[in-house]
Amino acid sequence: MKKILFFAVALFSAGSLFAQSQIVAHRGFHATGNSARNSLSALVNAQEYKFFGSECDINETKDGVLIVVHGLNHADMNVQETDYATLKAAKLENGETIPTLEEYLIQAKKNTATKLIIEIKSHATPERETRVTKNILAMVKKYKLKKDVEYIAFSKHVCQELVKYGPKGIQVAYLNGELTPLECKQLGFTGIDYNHGVLKKHPEWIKAAQALGLTVNIWTVNSTADIQWSIDQGVDYITTDNPLEAKRLIEKK
Ligand code: MG
């Protein structure tokens, strides 16, 4: 019995030792061709390169449309307080239109080898965050993408609502960085997705999280040195604007 246990532990350790870090293209793979952050083409590019994941940021417009855009400010407009029609008229820097979440899900469905990593942005009140979270879950369900989507958020409330209202097996990683892996586990989250500054300050959190069965994602690492550090630490996912460099370094390992 002891022997079996020993081999099981040895196998498990070897498995985690040799598990490769996977690439998440931050706001899609935008640093190629004439793409732009959070554009539809950035998702298509990530799919073409078969990256593990393509991250995107979701905000709700004043009139309740879920759109893929990062900041509160788009062309000097607060996207959460502006109607979709007005935002749509202000193009992205490459001439594309701000995609809706629905357009993104339709594209995600065309090639599910690349997961869509949905960041739900913080909204002004917990009530609005709950509504946004429920609407996103409903739309993902409508397109039958629950296994092909993972969620991240800075808002603890959003992460808790995802756990509460999401389907069984939902993947939810917390971004804000102040909670220990154990605290995240106790809240029902399935991963930590922390800034590299946080993980450099607490490198012990990487193995602690993995020992608790949590995934570890690190953002946003773009330099060769930071990407290499992340690979050496054995993180599960590397979120980067420079996915080709990450691919090169992972394959070199
Ligand atoms: Mg993001």
Side-chain angles (χ1 to χ4, degrees):
M1 185 64 200
K2 249 187 186 166
K3 230 176 192 177
I4 293 171
L5 200 68
F6 171 79
F7 281 118
V9 169
L11 266 175
F12 178 78
S13 315
S16 40
L17 201 65
F18 296 117
Q20 271 191 338
S21 303
Q22 306 264 16
I23 297 165
V24 174
H26 183 233
R27 304 179 196 172
F29 184 20
H30 53 82
T32 182
N34 179 36
S35 192
R37 290 173 164 80
N38 280 314
S39 65
L40 202 59
S41 67
L43 171 58
V44 173
N45 294 338
Q47 291 172 324
E48 279 174 3
Y49 278 85
K50 299 180 171 46
F51 294 131
F52 170 84
S54 186
E55 189 256 2
C56 65
D57 303 296
I58 306 299
N59 274 286
E60 185 198 52
T61 65
K62 189 182 181 188
D63 51 342
V65 180
L66 297 166
I67 57 169
V68 184
V69 68
H70 178 259
L72 282 178
N73 283 305
H74 174 70
D76 291 329
M77 293 180 278
N78 178 333
V79 300
Q80 295 180 2
E81 300 304 329
T82 309
D83 284 338
Y84 174 58
T86 309
L87 291 163
K88 203 179 169 186
K91 304 284 186 195
L92 302 179
E93 67 265 26
N94 71 341
E96 284 184 65
T97 304
I98 292 183
T100 61
L101 173 62
E102 189 148 30
E103 287 165 342
Y104 241 60
L105 294 181
I106 290 166
Q107 181 59 41
K109 189 83 186 166
K110 289 179 186 166
N111 185 347
T112 52
T114 295
K115 283 185 194 291
L116 191 61
I117 312 298
I118 293 182
E119 179 185 344
I120 303 180
K121 299 309 278 190
S122 301
H123 287 69
T125 64
E127 292 74 21
R128 192 173 183 191
E129 288 191 337
T130 298
R131 185 182 71 226
V132 168
T133 301
K134 283 182 168 178
N135 288 345
I136 291 171
L137 287 168
M139 203 179 278
V140 170
K141 189 179 176 191
K142 178 182 157 191
Y143 285 96
K144 298 188 170 60
L145 281 163
K146 72 175 184 190
K147 289 200 181 77
D148 309 301
V149 166
E150 298 188 4
Y151 299 88
I152 56 177
F154 281 95
S155 161
K156 192 162 89 177
H157 177 70
V158 166
C159 288
Q160 288 177 293
E161 297 298 74
L162 283 165
V163 171
K164 188 169 163 188
Y165 297 109
K168 200 168 170 269
I170 190 171
Q171 298 294 304
V172 180
Y174 184 58
L175 290 166
N176 208 40
E178 87 286 13
L179 298 178
T180 65
L182 183 60
E183 287 169 322
C184 288
K185 177 80 179 175
Q186 286 166 342
L187 288 165
F189 307 160
T190 60
I192 57 169
D193 187 351
Y194 285 174
N195 180 272
H196 61 98
V198 172
L199 290 178
K200 278 182 180 158
K201 203 171 148 195
H202 292 287
E204 75 283 4
W205 281 3
I206 296 169
K207 291 287 173 282
Q210 290 169 334
L212 288 165
L214 299 174
T215 56
V216 178
N217 192 338
I218 185 167
W219 58 273
T220 301
V221 282
N222 293 334
S223 72
T224 299
D226 284 342
I227 295 170
Q228 189 61 55
W229 183 85
S230 308
I231 294 168
D232 294 343
Q233 295 294 314
V235 304
D236 300 290
Y237 309 123
I238 295 172
T239 299
T240 177
D241 291 304
N242 200 356
L244 291 183
E245 179 66 351
K247 188 173 186 296
R248 184 182 75 82
L249 294 171
I250 289 167
E251 285 170 357
K252 203 176 83 179
K253 195 187 171 185

